[in-house]
């Protein structure tokens, strides 16, 4: 009797597994409505297809409480300066990324030098038009933001594109007027700047 019972139990287990396999082989899809025209990803959950789609990241910020009117005024000045120079940092990012792509498709050193010169000219033209009028504080913020966007300091970029001597020379000039081309960006140290950027709409 015991052997017969084990055999029956074994058959039942096989039968149930077979049924489950059949259920999974014919998944159940949700019914489509007349206006359901957007294709989305779905996941098979025990034979039932569950549609889902990835949503964009949503940042929630609490209302900031200021310790004093002076602190709020300082933050407002910082916000103005960040929004002033952020477009230049984004331009540097796009232009530098474009230069790297162009250099990969230009095996000849002569062509590479021409690409670097063209990039340098575009940045200099923008400098002569707009960046030269930035304040010392705005320039300091800009060097930090370039490191944030490009992932490399302004000093490293100049060193790669124009050589170590040029980077050294530019750094000396920058230090005279209160800048540091080696400035790096730290999300914790520069949390106010990060907060301003995240709430500014530049990445929407």
């Amino acid at each position: 009797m015991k052997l017969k019972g084990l055999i029956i139990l074994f058959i039942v287990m096989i039968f149930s597994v077979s049924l489950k396999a059949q259920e999974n082989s014919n998944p159940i899809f949700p019914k489509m409505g007349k206006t359901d025209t957007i294709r989305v990803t779905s996941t098979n959950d025990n034979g039932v297809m569950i549609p889902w789609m990835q949503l964009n990241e949503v940042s929630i910020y609490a209302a900031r409480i200021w310790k004093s009117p002076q602190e709020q005024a300082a933050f407002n000045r910082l916000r103005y300066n960040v929004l002033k120079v952020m477009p230049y940092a984004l331009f540097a990012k796009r232009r530098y990324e474009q230069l790297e792509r162009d250099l990969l498709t230009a095996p000849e050193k002569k062509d590479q030098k021409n690409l670097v010169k063209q990039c340098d000219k575009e940045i200099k033209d923008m400098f002569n038009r707009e960046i030269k009028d930035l304040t010392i504080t705005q320039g300091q913020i800009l060097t930090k933001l370039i490191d944030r966007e490009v992932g490399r300091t302004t000093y490293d970029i100049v060193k790669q594109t124009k050589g170590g001597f040029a980077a050294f020379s530019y750094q000396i000039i920058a230090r005279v007027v209160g800048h540091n081309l080696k400035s790096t960006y730290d999300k914790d140290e520069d949390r106010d700047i990060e907060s301003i950027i995240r709430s500014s709409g530049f990445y929407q």
Side-chain angles (χ1 to χ4, degrees), residues 53 57 76 93-94 96 98 104 110 125 172 177 193:
M53 61 189 302
E57 180 181 349
N76 290 339
K93 175 184 180 180
R94 291 191 296 267
Y96 184 69
Q98 181 62 48
L104 290 175
K110 181 180 179 181
D125 289 343
I172 292 177
V177 296
I193 296 178

Side-chain angles (χ1 to χ4, degrees), residues 136-147 152-156 158 167-168 170-185:
I136 292 177
T137 300
Q138 290 169 350
Q140 292 170 343
I141 295 173
L142 177 58
T143 55
K144 282 178 172 285
L145 293 185
I146 287 176
D147 179 61
R152 311 183 71 177
T153 65
T154 305
Y155 182 89
D156 291 335
V158 174
F168 178 75
Y170 286 4
Q171 173 70 343
I172 292 177
I173 298 173
R175 297 298 285 176
V176 170
V177 296
H179 297 285
N180 182 7
L181 301 183
K182 296 182 179 181
S183 295
T184 58
Y185 186 82

Side-chain angles (χ1 to χ4, degrees), residues 16-70:
S16 62
V17 171
S18 176
L19 285 177
K20 189 171 184 180
Q22 290 179 6
E23 289 176 359
N24 290 334
S25 63
N26 296 298
I28 301 173
F29 289 89
K31 294 182 179 180
M32 298 280 290
K34 293 182 179 180
T35 59
D36 292 338
T37 58
I38 301 176
R39 293 181 177 273
V40 297
T41 307
S42 60
T43 299
N44 190 331
D45 183 16
N46 294 323
V48 179
M49 301 303 294
I50 301 176
W52 61 273
M53 61 189 302
Q54 184 174 354
L55 301 177
N56 294 329
E57 180 181 349
V58 176
S59 299
I60 300 176
Y61 301 94
R64 185 164 182 171
I65 300 175
W66 306 103
K67 295 180 181 179
S68 66
Q70 291 78 12

Side-chain angles (χ1 to χ4, degrees), residues 11 36 78-79 95-96 123 136 164-165 169 172 174:
I11 293 173
D36 292 338
L78 177 63
R79 186 175 188 277
R95 192 60 189 86
Y96 184 69
I123 294 176
I136 292 177
F165 180 76
S169 301
I172 292 177

Side-chain angles (χ1 to χ4, degrees), residues 83-101:
L83 298 182
K84 173 78 173 179
V85 301
M86 188 63 184
Y88 303 136
L90 293 175
F91 172 83
K93 175 184 180 180
R94 291 191 296 267
R95 192 60 189 86
Y96 184 69
E97 290 175 345
Q98 181 62 48
L99 175 62
E100 286 192 321
R101 289 193 295 267

